[in-house]
Amino acid sequence: MIKITADDIFDGRKFHGPDRALVLDEHATVSALVPRSWVGEDFVKVDGILCPGFINTHCHLELSHMKGSVPEGTGLPAFLTAVMENRTPPAADVLHSAIDAAAEAMRQEGTVAVGDIANTAATVPVKRRTAHQTEWHTFVECMGVADAFAPQRLEHSMAVLAQFRQAQLPAALVPHAPYSVSPTLFRLINGLKSNGTISIHNQESAAENELFRHKTGPFLQFYRHFNMDASSIGGTGSNSLPAYIPYFDQGQTMLLVHNTFTTRQDVEAALAREGETYWCICPNANLYIEGMLPDVDMLLETPGVNITLGTDSLASNHQLSIWREIETLRKKFPHIPLETMLQWATLNGAMALGIADRLGSFEKGKTPGVVQITGNTSRILDLKSLFA
C-alpha cells in the first residue's frame, strides 16, 4: 500500500487537515483517507496540499501552435477574426509538436482529464497515445450560420466525430456558440442520440447579447467580413442564453462555457430547463480577450449553479494550467474559500464530464490522480518515483 501525508489533504469536497493519510494501492486506486495514526510509521510526508487530479472542462488543444499569435484585449469578434484568418496549421510536425508539448504541460501541472474542443482530427494521435495518462473527452464543434446549409454542416462535423470514435476516444458533437449556429442546426444537434454532455461557448462577449437583443453590434461586421448569411441569427429581444437554451429539450447535461456576460435572469432561464447544467469559467482567457471576468459571486450565490474550470486555448491564454486559473480567481475573489475553488477544479469537473465514478475525489475505488500544491505551483505526483 502507498501511504501519503501532507500539510493538508483536500478530498474533492473539503479539507481534512494535517492529521490524515491518503492510502492507495499499487495501481494508484484510493483505498482510504484515514487518521494518520492508523497507518503507523510506514508513510511518506510531502509538503503542501494534496488534492485529486484537476479536470479542465474547456480547452482547445488543436490551437496550441497559435500561442502568442493573437494580441490581447481585442474583444471577441476581432479575436475570432484573427483566429479564423491565422489558424491554418503549420507543417504537420510543427503542429503535432505544439499539441504534444501543451498536453504534457497540462499533465505535469496536475490535469488528469480534459474536455477538449476539436474542429479537426489533429489531436487524435496525441489523445490516443496519452489516454493512459489523461482522460480526453472531445467536443467536436459544429457551426454554420446559414440555415439552408445546416444539414451539410452537421454532416461535416459528424465525419470529424467519426475519426475520434474510430480511435475509441470519447467524443460528442456540440454547437460552437449561439452566434455561429443557425436555428435549424441547433435543432439537428438536439436530435442526436447518445451524444453525452453538450458544451457550448456562452455569452463570452457583450456583443453576443447585443446581437440577440437588437440584431446590432460588432458581430454584424464579423459576418460581413466573412460574407456569411447570418440572417436567421439574433434579434430575439432577449440575451442569447434564454434564446437558444430551449432548443435542448432532451434532458441533456449542458456545459456552458465562459459566461462572462451572463446575468441572473439568464441563469434562471437555463436552470428552468430539464437536465443538469454546469457553468465553466476560464478567467485567464476572459481577461486575455475581453478584459472581463464573469460575475462569479452571482453564480456562486444562485441555488443550483455548479461551477467548473477551464483554460481555453493557447491562442487566448499564456498557459493551460488549472492552478493558474485558481490563482487568478483568488486575487479577484479573495473571499471565496480555496476549498470551494478546488471543488470546481476536481469533483465538479468530473461530474460535468460524466467521469465522477473514477475521477474527481479521493473516494474508495477511484483513481483520480494526486496533485501536490506548494506555494504557487501544482504538479502531478509520480507515485512510482515517490515510493521507489
Side-chain angles (χ1 to χ4, degrees), residues 7-21 33-34 50 339 362:
D7 299 324
D8 210 336
I9 299 179
F10 174 79
D11 70 355
R13 294 182 176 87
K14 64 181 181 180
F15 282 109
H16 286 263
D19 62 342
R20 290 292 188 273
L33 183 58
V34 297
L50 295 183
E339 181 176 73
F362 290 143

Side-chain angles (χ1 to χ4, degrees), residues 256-269:
L256 309 183
V257 180
H258 291 302
N259 313 299
T260 321
F261 293 85
T262 300
T263 68
R264 186 180 297 275
Q265 291 74 24
D266 297 330
V267 172
E268 291 170 352

Side-chain angles (χ1 to χ4, degrees), residues 171-184:
L173 192 146
V174 303
H176 168 251
Y179 54 79
S180 64
V181 176
S182 72
T184 296

Side-chain angles (χ1 to χ4, degrees), residues 228-260:
M228 296 177 177
D229 175 12
S231 56
S232 66
I233 298 178
T236 62
S238 70
N239 282 350
S240 62
L241 181 51
Y244 76 78
I245 201 68
Y247 286 117
F248 296 98
D249 60 4
Q250 305 300 309
Q252 303 99 323
T253 295
M254 298 292 295
L255 178 61
L256 309 183
V257 180
H258 291 302
N259 313 299
T260 321

Side-chain angles (χ1 to χ4, degrees), residues 123-125 127-128 131 136 138 163-171:
T123 58
V124 166
K127 289 173 180 175
R128 186 165 47 195
W136 301 98
T138 302
Q163 295 181 70
F164 285 93
R165 291 186 171 174
Q166 287 167 5
Q168 297 185 321
L169 294 166

